[in-house]
Amino acid sequence: MFGRRTEHPHSIPLAGHAGLDDQYHELARFWVSTERSFVLVAPDVVQSPALLGSLLVECIHTAAAGYAATGNITEEEALNELWKGLDQERSRLESLEHAGGAN
């Protein structure tokens, strides 16, 4: 209404994050379905690819702590699985590039 778009029904709620004020800028969104993934990145927010890489590493550590908070896995186990997933995807994409395929 009035040009405002509602959030996607499956967005992560921002309620409870009072410190997240107008000084902060969203720089990425990750979406997944049973068939594919969809990633949006705002390179104008973090113009340095190296800084984005650093933030992604911080994201991995935060995610590991989140998984550990469920009580189903330790933080170390979660971190190992997250790194394993990153390594597998990098290897897959590098194989596609060497084979001349698209990702």
Side-chain angles (χ1 to χ4, degrees):
M1 177 183 242
F2 303 111
R4 292 188 60 177
R5 297 179 64 190
T6 59
E7 280 291 321
H8 188 279
H10 301 290
S11 294
I12 297 171
L14 295 177
H17 298 283
L20 195 59
D21 59 22
D22 289 348
Q23 294 180 48
Y24 293 88
H25 299 273
E26 186 171 48
L27 62 108
R29 285 190 178 208
F30 301 87
W31 297 90
V32 65
S33 73
T34 56
E35 297 175 16
R36 67 170 294 224
S37 63
F38 193 78
V39 178
L40 301 170
V41 176
D44 58 318
V45 175
V46 177
Q47 296 176 359
S48 164
L51 178 55
L52 179 58
S54 175
L55 292 169
L56 290 171
V57 170
E58 183 179 344
C59 176
I60 293 296
H61 283 270
T62 301
Y67 280 109
T70 68
N72 297 322
I73 188 171
T74 69
E75 191 168 337
E76 183 178 352
E77 291 169 328
L79 195 54
N80 286 335
E81 287 297 306
L82 288 160
W83 289 130
K84 185 168 110 180
L86 284 169
D87 291 341
Q88 288 173 346
E89 185 63 7
R90 281 184 71 185
S91 180
R92 185 188 74 81
L93 290 174
E94 287 171 358
S95 293
L96 286 174
E97 288 173 6
H98 291 301
N103 47 359

